Amino acid sequence: MDKKIQVADKTYWIGYIDDRKVPFHRLTLEKGTTYNSYLLFTEKPTVIDTVDISFGKQFVETIGQYIAPEEIQYIIINHVEPDHSGGLPALANKAKNATIVTTELGAKELKEMYKLHHREFMVIQDGDTLDIGGKTLKFFETPYLHTEETMITYCIEDKVLYPCDQFSSHVATYQLFDDLAKEDIMPDFRVYYQLIMHPHRPYVQDMIEKIKDLEINIIAPSHGYILRSDAKKYIRAYDEMSRPNQDTKKALIIYSTMTGNTKAVANDLADGLKHKGISVQIMNAQTNSNIEAIKEAILTSDAILFGSSTRYADMVGSLESILQELKEMDLEHKIGIAFGSYGWSGEAIEVIQDYLKQSNLKVIDSGYMIKTTGMDHLQFPIRVKFKPEKNEKEKLFQAAQAIGDLLLG
């Protein structure tokens, strides 16, 4: 595309249209996609996001049609995945004096990914602003949309939101703006949401809460159409699609403990689940000897969490007799999670995991969470050394939130 495409005052689209069938997240994008990048031609010229790593050379050539790259003073990276940050190495090589603006985790990851340890970074926090000479950018951290380091950028004067993956669609469009589209873009918009954002819908609600008071005329995402016909319509669609399912889901937490540490873990997990609107029942396997009542509770629950302390490399109490019953029960479509506290190596947690895998439960482990949600900071099975303190409590709450998301999904 040779003509300059203006998005807002002194703001231009400088991205790349990939009209192939594009491999993406183990899918094939039949309609291709766009990698949207934006140049704000202000007193302190600023680039917001880049393009896929495959098109870095073309990206720098496109920028050269507007400005000498060495004049760029800021490069905003909202999200570090290579389809957004991939043009950064080529651009940084030319824009040698530019400061790279991103979150703390984003800076760490970009330095490692592209060997940019020698470059100047500006680390933003939620609500920070940056004067780029005639325009003011405001930043909001939006973790897990859809990776942990993600942020969004809002231009106050132009009333333009630059949300990277959020509000995107995978279409290799040459029209670029939704009001120029030859067909209804909402189906592609919704498909993108379901594939990329829906697993993280509680964080979508957090994002909507952060932007609710902003006056947004244009949403300029990193894939597909720039949304300028009715920005509020697309925000409403995200709000509606990310609201929790109103059907109450039920979780059973059953545990055995020696000193009360595993009980504390169970209670912390219950708190996180309840925060998601999940109905929670807690049963102590040591004080409840009615195996039939326990089996009935398992059969009427959507998720079952089995926990134990470790003593002499094994479980404690009567939990094992319950686990032995699982392979004879029909538990299809139910979620199983192992957890526990320990003082040394915590073998009991792994023994529980082995029992769960012998059943037809959908057993949650770290690999499953990474593949379905992209979250690599949560550990499954859930292991806590001794009694959960502040940091562990926060992690337990996050793990329970993730379990709740799986149930609500």
Side-chain angles (χ1 to χ4, degrees):
M1 300 179 70
D2 295 326
K3 66 177 182 178
K4 295 181 178 181
I5 298 171
Q6 187 167 356
V7 176
D9 178 49
K10 298 180 181 178
T11 302
Y12 300 90
W13 179 88
I14 51 171
Y16 186 87
I17 298 172
D18 191 351
D19 56 10
R20 306 168 299 154
K21 292 184 177 182
V22 180
F24 184 84
H25 285 251
R26 300 190 70 189
L27 303 170
T28 299
L29 305 180
E30 296 292 335
K31 294 185 177 182
T33 194
T34 68
Y35 308 108
N36 299 338
S37 175
Y38 305 94
L39 171 64
L40 282 63
F41 209 163
T42 57
E43 296 171 16
K44 301 175 182 178
T46 298
V47 170
I48 299 180
D49 291 318
T50 69
V51 300
D52 185 81
I53 195 168
S54 304
F55 308 110
K57 181 175 182 292
Q58 295 95 318
F59 176 59
V60 173
E61 290 173 353
T62 299
I63 290 174
Q65 297 173 20
Y66 295 82
I67 188 174
E70 56 267 24
E71 295 180 31
I72 294 170
Q73 295 198 29
Y74 295 108
I75 304 170
I76 313 293
I77 301 294
N78 285 316
H79 174 36
V80 306
E81 280 197 312
D83 56 326
H84 306 289
S85 69
L88 178 60
L91 178 57
N93 185 51
K94 298 291 185 180
K96 295 185 182 298
N97 297 317
T99 299
I100 301 167
V101 183
T102 189
T103 60
E104 182 177 6
L105 181 57
K108 179 180 178 181
E109 293 183 349
L110 289 170
K111 289 175 184 178
E112 294 296 329
M113 288 171 64
Y114 302 124
K115 308 304 179 188
L116 294 171
H117 299 85
H118 63 291
R119 293 302 296 256
E120 181 179 355
F121 279 77
M122 177 183 293
V123 172
I124 68 95
Q125 293 182 338
D126 207 44
D128 283 354
T129 59
L130 175 64
D131 181 354
I132 59 172
K135 296 181 189 288
T136 308
L137 302 181
K138 188 168 186 176
F139 307 103
F140 300 91
E141 295 183 82
T142 56
Y144 307 114
L145 293 179
H146 58 111
T147 51
E148 187 177 0
E149 85 298 337
T150 307
M151 70 181 196
I152 58 179
T153 301
Y154 174 68
C155 181
I156 295 174
E157 291 79 7
D158 295 337
K159 301 178 176 60
V160 178
L161 182 69
Y162 299 93
C164 202
D165 270 333
Q166 299 161 63
F167 302 104
S168 285
S169 54
H170 278 313
V171 181
T173 173
Y174 286 83
Q175 285 75 45
L176 281 174
F177 297 95
D178 66 326
D179 55 341
L180 300 180
K182 297 177 181 178
E183 58 185 14
D184 182 7
I185 75 163
M186 190 57 78
D188 288 314
F189 180 83
R190 290 182 179 276
V191 166
Y192 182 98
Y193 169 85
Q194 291 294 332
L195 290 175
I196 307 299
M197 293 296 157
H198 193 63
H200 312 281
R201 57 202 170 281
Y203 300 101
V204 173
Q205 286 291 309
D206 292 343
M207 176 271 294
I208 290 172
E209 179 67 21
K210 289 184 178 185
I211 68 171
K212 69 178 183 179
D213 295 327
L214 300 180
E215 187 176 351
I216 300 171
N217 292 340
I218 298 173
I219 301 175
S222 286
H223 293 298
Y225 289 99
I226 298 168
L227 310 171
R228 67 182 183 185
S229 65
D230 185 356
K232 291 181 180 178
K233 176 178 74 173
Y234 298 102
I235 296 171
R236 284 196 302 269
Y238 258 44
D239 185 22
E240 292 166 2
M241 291 187 290
S242 62
R243 287 177 185 167
N245 188 323
Q246 295 304 308
D247 294 334
T248 301
K249 297 293 183 180
K250 183 177 179 182
L252 171 66
I253 302 177
I254 184 165
Y255 70 93
S256 58
T257 186
M258 286 191 302
T259 63
N261 290 346
T262 302
K263 179 181 179 180
V265 174
N267 289 334
D268 287 335
L269 291 170
D271 288 342
L273 287 164
K274 290 174 183 176
H275 191 263
K276 284 291 181 185
I278 308 298
S279 173
V280 181
Q281 180 180 8
I282 303 178
M283 301 181 78
N284 185 334
Q286 291 163 284
T287 60
N288 192 327
S289 59
N290 188 336
I291 189 70
E292 293 304 318
I294 293 172
K295 288 170 64 176
E296 178 63 24
I298 290 171
L299 289 171
T300 57
S301 298
D302 300 294
I304 308 97
L305 292 75
F306 299 89
S308 176
S309 306
T310 298
R311 183 182 184 188
Y312 301 135
D314 206 349
M315 293 176 285
V316 301
S318 58
L319 187 66
E320 187 162 18
S321 62
I322 299 165
L323 292 166
Q324 289 170 345
E325 297 282 336
L326 298 181
K327 62 183 178 182
E328 305 300 330
M329 301 171 67
D330 182 8
L331 304 174
E332 191 175 7
H333 306 307
K334 298 180 186 295
I335 293 172
I337 300 102
F339 73 93
S341 65
Y342 65 99
W344 286 268
S345 50
E347 293 89 346
I349 304 160
E350 300 304 322
V351 175
I352 294 172
Q353 186 83 342
D354 290 341
Y355 271 113
L356 299 187
K357 289 179 178 179
Q358 293 171 22
S359 73
N360 64 344
L361 284 163
K362 181 185 290 182
V363 182
I364 306 304
D365 59 19
S366 295
Y368 180 87
M369 292 302 295
I370 291 170
K371 287 183 284 187
T372 56
T373 70
M375 297 182 184
D376 61 359
H377 69 297
L378 299 177
Q379 182 187 63
F380 287 88
I382 298 166
R383 303 167 59 86
V384 176
K385 195 165 187 178
F386 301 115
K387 185 177 181 179
E389 301 297 339
K390 182 178 179 181
N391 288 342
E392 287 82 6
K393 283 179 175 290
E394 291 175 358
K395 291 179 181 177
L396 289 171
F397 190 82
Q398 290 177 13
Q401 296 271 85
I403 296 166
D405 292 343
L406 293 176
L407 289 177
L408 295 172

